[in-house]
Amino acid sequence: MEKSLNDLEGRTTGESQLGLLPAESTARPTWGSKVQYILAQVGFSVGLGNVWRFPYLCHQNGGGSFLLLYFLLLLIIGIPLFFLELAAGQSIRQGSIGVWKHISPRLAGIGFASCVVCSFVALYYNVIIGWSLFYLFNSFYYPLPWENCPTLLNQTQEVVECAKSTPTTYFWYRSALNVTNTIEASEMNWPMTGCLALAWFLVCGGMIKGIKSSGKVMYFSSVFPYVVLFCFLIRGLLLEGAADGIRIMFTPKLEIWGNIQVWRQAATQVFFALGLGFGSVIAYSSYNDRHNNCHFDAILVSFINFMTSILATLVVFAVLGFRANVLTEQCVETNMEKILDLLRNGSLHEDVVPMRNLTNPEYSQWYKSASEIMNLQQYGISDCKVEDVMNEGVEGTGLAFIAFTEAMTHLPASPFWSILFFLMLLNLGLSTMFGNMQGIITPLLDNFPCLRKKKTIFTVFCCITGLLIGLIFVQRSGSYFVSMFDDYSATLPLIIVVIFENIAVAWVYGAERFMEDIKGMLGHRPWRIYKYMWQYISILGMIGLLLASLIKMCIEYPKYQSWNQQQAKEEMLQYPSWALGMLTSLIIVAALPIPIVFLKHTIQDWILKGKSKTYDDCDYTQGNTVDDMIGPMEESPADLGHVGNGYLPVEMEDFAERGKLLTTEGNLDDAEEGSANANC
């Protein structure tokens, strides 16, 4: 398309320039194939959250009801906004900073905010990859080191802390993290520091050549997790109790639809699942050909992500159902021994004592009826339900590093399954980290041309910087900082970023114009419903999600889950004042680039307009012409239309209006040609 007059004048304005693409001075790298691109988008969007965050939310928020709610929000919010980012990146072929700067220089802060959020997430996300490496290395031992409690030195007695909890819980908090009781600063955890350094080395190796190297790695890192998930699904369905876990997963609780916080959690999961607002989606799509069918890509990647979440949830609940069944049987055996002891000392009557070899449901039924007669809890006898065990330790890292690892200890050839599981977590984490790093590096390289010549050095510099800053997460209290960053550094800033992205396209640039640009890429207009989604429904949904998140933060004082070493149990503690200030700063710093860049360009425009206005205020008076001084001259018929000096008469006002247009080469040529004709 042709440039506007403002572009020809070199003036900075707030008007959109999408579609007014300048010719690229250097050839932009492209994906080796469409398969590489799809695997990269799937690898980035399908991450650790699909394995531990989605199953937890599904179980805690109504099972099948949450699945329906999630799918609804995926259609209303997820796919339209995912399509928007894909189309913007592919059309402009720039990273997140360049895309929004191209629409309007005042909106470049959206891209910088995305870079900041990506940086925060990359810092703690690679720590989780380090944890996976630590467990992977320990999976080569038989028996697994978290299968049994360690004993005291030169004694047969188990470590008290482990005996009070479980072997897997003890290994996680004491052997892996060596965690402190609170978030206060502490000494370094050197084994985990080495794992973090190795994690950054793997990321740097995959990113060193840009998409040429990371694209090839995607063939393995994006496909291998699916192989492992299907292996676990087949094995899990053959385990006793797997059906109980899946039944609990899909049991609907329709009343949760009336809880606004469930809607908030579902919408937030849609954000994280698709990677909206990170800038990585835009960065990946910017390496596509402009005529690639990004609409098909948006639908394909979104549904692959959704089906992957369901697959991972089936695997998790099948295995956890088996684990819950084993632990419930142990609970029944322990309580039966207590009941027999009470029977021998005469504390219980024979009529109350249940039969031997009761199944888990039969024991639970006996406990319910016996509790109506006497108080069994005073004797230390508890109920044993599969549902109660399923609710224990299934959130976030507790699901992967405690509950799931415990389940694997009950499987035959447990080291083999443990190696597979943590290899899967490693690959899921790496594929997502590649996307995060692209969301940081690509926009900066596009916005600062001086860095392009030193792309490899800049990539290595980013990884080394990430390692040095990430040392805060591998001190003994580091896991608490991981929780802080996970809860507060991304959620609110991402929502704000996506709201401004939506406003930039739907209202600043115009949804109708954007639809025409997409038509120019695809050869046909996308569904008209997208226009109304972008203009109204998605924006209102985002604003509602932002308000719900703010209300939750204001109502509930921020807390973190800590490990009490003396009592050997988890407990919730309030963040100290300095930590509260730190998490508040994370939110502010991540969102601050948006208003700063907007104000910067607004002030610059105001100054430029002020300068141009001073020239407009000047008064000009027309001086005496040659005719006024020497009088009119006689003209021959051949000189009609010419003044006496042989030149065409020129109106000064008309010349002043045309003066701006003469800056282009074409207009200058026309002026020279006109002058030559006048002299003939």
Side-chain angles (χ1 to χ4, degrees):
M1 290 185 177
E2 296 180 357
K3 286 183 174 292
S4 65
L5 180 61
N6 287 330
D7 294 321
L8 295 174
E9 294 177 331
R11 293 170 61 182
T12 302
T13 68
E15 294 182 4
S16 165
Q17 300 170 14
L18 187 62
L20 311 177
L21 300 177
E24 296 184 44
S25 58
T26 58
R28 190 172 184 81
T30 57
W31 294 101
S33 66
K34 181 66 176 284
V35 175
Q36 273 190 14
Y37 167 67
I38 294 297
L39 289 178
Q41 290 286 17
V42 170
F44 171 67
S45 62
V46 176
L48 298 174
N50 296 78
V51 176
W52 64 43
R53 194 191 300 269
F54 187 88
Y56 164 74
L57 293 175
C58 183
H59 176 50
Q60 292 296 110
N61 297 312
S65 301
F66 182 82
L67 287 176
L68 293 175
L69 179 59
Y70 179 86
F71 185 72
L72 175 65
L73 293 176
L74 182 67
L75 295 177
I76 295 176
I77 298 176
I79 294 179
L81 295 178
F82 191 61
F83 178 36
L84 182 148
E85 291 196 356
L86 288 180
Q90 182 174 304
S91 173
I92 302 175
R93 304 199 77 195
Q94 293 280 312
S96 56
I97 297 175
V99 163
W100 307 116
K101 185 178 182 180
H102 198 82
I103 290 180
S104 172
R106 298 181 183 183
L107 299 177
I110 300 175
F112 284 105
S114 295
C115 283
V116 174
V117 174
C118 267
S119 302
F120 287 160
V121 173
L123 287 175
Y124 77 83
Y125 207 90
N126 226 22
V127 176
I128 300 175
I129 296 178
W131 294 346
S132 301
L133 286 170
F134 182 84
Y135 268 80
L136 177 61
F137 297 149
N138 281 277
S139 297
F140 288 92
Y141 292 96
Y142 183 80
L144 292 171
W146 54 83
E147 190 169 335
N148 300 299
C149 284
T151 56
L152 296 172
L153 188 63
N154 298 327
Q155 297 183 26
T156 58
Q157 184 181 358
E158 294 180 344
V159 175
V160 177
E161 185 180 355
C162 182
K164 288 182 178 180
S165 55
T166 63
T168 51
T169 304
Y170 175 82
F171 184 86
W172 167 241
Y173 283 113
R174 190 56 49 219
S175 300
L177 301 180
N178 193 20
V179 73
T180 56
N181 288 353
T182 64
I183 197 175
E184 301 296 334
S186 58
E187 61 270 18
M188 299 296 295
N189 182 346
W190 293 113
M192 203 58 73
T193 304
C195 291
L196 177 63
L198 179 57
W200 276 110
F201 176 80
L202 293 175
V203 171
C204 189
M207 294 292 302
I208 198 73
K209 296 296 181 182
I211 63 170
K212 292 182 179 179
S213 56
S214 62
K216 294 177 181 178
V217 174
M218 291 298 176
Y219 282 114
F220 179 78
S221 63
S222 297
V223 174
F224 179 75
Y226 288 96
V227 176
V228 176
L229 283 175
F230 277 110
C231 290
F232 267 102
L233 179 63
I234 295 172
R235 184 68 183 92
L237 292 176
L238 298 176
L239 296 172
E240 183 181 359
D244 293 331
I246 295 175
R247 174 182 54 81
I248 292 173
M249 166 191 165
F250 284 107
T251 301
K253 300 175 183 177
L254 296 178
E255 63 274 9
I256 62 101
W257 282 53
N259 188 344
I260 189 64
Q261 291 303 325
V262 175
W263 286 76
R264 181 189 64 81
Q265 290 178 334
T268 303
Q269 180 59 23
V270 170
F271 263 76
F272 280 98
L274 295 178
L276 299 175
F278 283 96
S280 305
V281 174
I282 295 176
Y284 276 157
S285 64
S286 70
Y287 297 112
N288 271 333
D289 180 80
R290 284 200 181 100
H291 299 290
N292 174 63
N293 192 343
C294 55
H295 182 220
F296 172 79
D297 297 343
I299 296 176
L300 177 64
V301 174
S302 298
F303 277 94
I304 289 177
N305 187 290
F306 178 65
M307 296 308 298
T308 303
S309 297
I310 293 179
L311 174 62
T313 305
L314 282 173
V315 171
V316 167
F317 277 85
V319 175
L320 292 185
F322 163 71
R323 167 184 173 268
N325 189 73
V326 171
L327 295 180
T328 303
E329 288 179 353
Q330 294 176 355
C331 174
V332 172
E333 292 177 2
T334 302
N335 283 326
M336 286 300 296
E337 292 177 359
K338 293 180 180 179
I339 291 172
L340 293 177
D341 290 338
L342 292 173
L343 178 63
R344 294 189 191 99
N345 60 30
S347 299
L348 287 179
H349 195 270
E350 291 185 359
D351 296 338
V352 182
V353 177
M355 298 183 296
R356 299 290 184 91
N357 301 323
L358 291 177
T359 63
N360 295 340
E362 290 173 345
Y363 173 83
S364 185
Q365 184 64 34
W366 168 84
Y367 184 88
K368 182 178 180 180
S369 58
S371 297
E372 297 176 355
I373 302 174
M374 59 185 304
N375 184 9
L376 295 175
Q377 292 184 352
Q378 65 179 343
Y379 300 108
I381 301 173
S382 60
D383 195 3
C384 300
K385 293 182 179 180
V386 173
E387 291 82 357
D388 294 339
V389 179
M390 288 285 292
N391 290 331
E392 298 174 358
V394 295
E395 180 181 4
T397 54
L399 174 61
F401 296 104
I402 298 178
F404 211 90
T405 53
E406 182 177 352
M408 287 185 291
T409 61
H410 300 293
L411 295 174
S414 55
F416 169 76
W417 294 105
S418 182
I419 291 171
L420 275 185
F421 178 70
F422 289 109
L423 270 177
M424 179 188 71
L425 291 188
L426 176 62
N427 281 274
L428 286 173
L430 285 176
S431 59
T432 302
M433 269 299 298
F434 292 149
N436 280 331
M437 295 302 293
Q438 285 289 358
I440 300 169
I441 295 174
T442 299
L444 295 177
L445 292 179
D446 291 338
N447 200 61
F448 302 102
C450 59
L451 297 176
R452 296 177 192 170
K453 298 179 181 179
K454 302 178 181 179
K455 182 177 179 180
T456 301
I457 297 177
F458 180 66
T459 301
V460 174
F461 172 77
C462 289
C463 293
I464 293 176
T465 303
L467 171 61
L468 295 177
I469 299 176
L471 293 177
I472 188 178
F473 302 107
V474 288
Q475 54 180 333
R476 290 184 59 194
S477 59
S479 61
Y480 303 141
F481 288 95
V482 172
S483 299
M484 177 195 294
F485 273 67
D486 188 35
D487 292 337
Y488 298 102
S489 70
T491 304
L492 278 179
L494 279 181
I495 297 173
I496 295 172
V497 165
V498 175
I499 288 175
F500 279 99
E501 286 182 357
N502 203 336
I503 293 174
V505 170
W507 295 103
V508 176
Y509 178 63
E512 185 63 31
R513 295 174 64 193
F514 190 62
M515 296 281 280
E516 287 297 321
D517 289 338
I518 297 175
K519 180 182 178 181
M521 292 192 298
L522 306 184
H524 61 86
R525 284 176 65 92
W527 301 329
R528 192 166 186 82
I529 192 174
Y530 283 117
K531 174 183 175 181
Y532 302 108
M533 289 285 190
W534 293 330
Q535 286 183 317
Y536 306 109
I537 299 177
S538 297
I539 291 182
L540 292 177
M542 293 300 95
I543 294 175
L545 177 59
L546 178 63
L547 292 177
S549 301
L550 289 174
I551 291 172
K552 181 179 183 298
M553 288 187 63
C554 294
I555 293 177
E556 298 180 7
Y557 191 92
K559 296 181 179 180
Y560 66 99
Q561 183 174 278
S562 69
W563 175 252
N564 189 314
Q565 183 176 357
Q566 288 71 32
Q567 300 181 11
K569 68 176 184 179
E570 297 169 338
E571 59 183 9
M572 299 300 297
L573 298 179
Q574 291 185 349
Y575 281 107
S577 56
W578 65 266
L580 191 62
M582 183 177 180
L583 65 88
T584 305
S585 300
L586 291 175
I587 299 173
I588 295 175
V589 169
L592 201 57
I594 298 176
I596 287 180
V597 175
F598 181 85
L599 290 175
K600 172 180 174 289
H601 284 281
T602 300
I603 293 173
Q604 286 180 346
D605 290 349
W606 179 74
I607 294 174
L608 288 175
K609 289 180 180 179
K611 290 182 178 179
S612 62
K613 188 175 181 181
T614 58
Y615 291 110
D616 294 338
D617 292 339
C618 295
D619 294 329
Y620 296 93
T621 58
Q622 184 174 355
N624 294 328
T625 64
V626 176
D627 292 338
D628 295 331
M629 292 184 291
I630 64 176
M633 298 180 63
E634 294 184 1
E635 300 176 357
S636 65
D639 294 329
L640 291 176
H642 292 72
V643 294
N645 57 9
Y647 288 91
L648 285 169
V650 177
E651 292 295 330
M652 296 303 294
E653 293 181 359
D654 178 67
F655 183 82
E657 289 297 320
R658 294 177 58 210
K660 292 184 284 187
L661 299 179
L662 295 179
T663 58
T664 64
E665 183 178 351
N667 287 333
L668 287 172
D669 291 339
D670 293 341
E672 291 172 2
E673 182 179 354
S675 177
N677 292 334
N679 288 320
C680 291

